[in-house]
Amino acid sequence: IPVDSAGKGRHLTDAFGDEACAFIQDHATDPNGFFLYMPFTSPHGPYDKAKQQDINVFNSTGWGATKKNTAGLIFALDRAIGHIVAQLKDPNGDGDPADSIYDQTAIAFFVDNGGATGSYNHDNTPLRGSKSTTWEGGIRVPFFLKLPGVAPGIYDHPVTSMDATASLLAAAGANPDPQQ
């Protein structure tokens, strides 16, 4: 667990989000832009314990402890991503919308596989299958891509992370060689 300046540990998901925000603040005005890769590890087995305050959000669901813990981990992930997006919109933290780099920033969010079943107590219903299968429960996962100058929309066809490579390179101003 990373340690903050007061010597207290932070949950890893919070630490990743905090450090990403600090990086954005430090590099928001870099003349050539920046690249930030944020490989969150939560939720993933072996599952760590979510913060109690995040688990408590799901107390009224009637779910068991394992499912509430997983939901708490996802809740923390969502919060950290929200902080990163907010930092892009206000990188200096001064509330001045003129400083925003959000509209010039490409954001890609990928998940590597569907939820594991069995001892992890995931329920991928209505999808069949789970992690390590080629059924929808194993491969149909959250994904989004936000690119500067591209209107929001829904692309309703199968996509892999490899499909997004050319779009991300083009958004960064690269001219990829299709032969490589």
Side-chain angles (χ1 to χ4, degrees), residues 167-178:
S167 297
L168 290 167
L169 287 171
N175 188 12
D177 180 353

Side-chain angles (χ1 to χ4, degrees), residues 7-79:
K8 298 185 182 211
R10 294 183 285 173
H11 195 276
L12 189 57
T13 300
D14 293 339
F16 280 174
D18 293 346
E19 297 304 321
C21 288
F23 180 89
I24 292 166
Q25 186 174 22
D26 292 345
H27 296 279
T29 59
D30 286 0
N32 294 322
F34 62 85
F35 175 80
L36 173 63
Y37 173 65
M38 194 71 269
F40 285 102
T41 58
S42 186
H44 200 279
Y47 286 86
D48 54 348
K49 177 107 164 84
K51 293 190 319 189
Q52 192 60 50
Q53 68 190 46
D54 294 338
I55 293 170
N56 290 346
V57 170
F58 302 94
N59 281 344
S60 64
T61 62
W63 294 341
T66 301
K67 196 165 189 173
K68 285 196 295 188
N69 186 67
T70 302
L73 293 169
I74 294 169
F75 184 79
L77 174 64
D78 185 59
R79 179 181 56 239

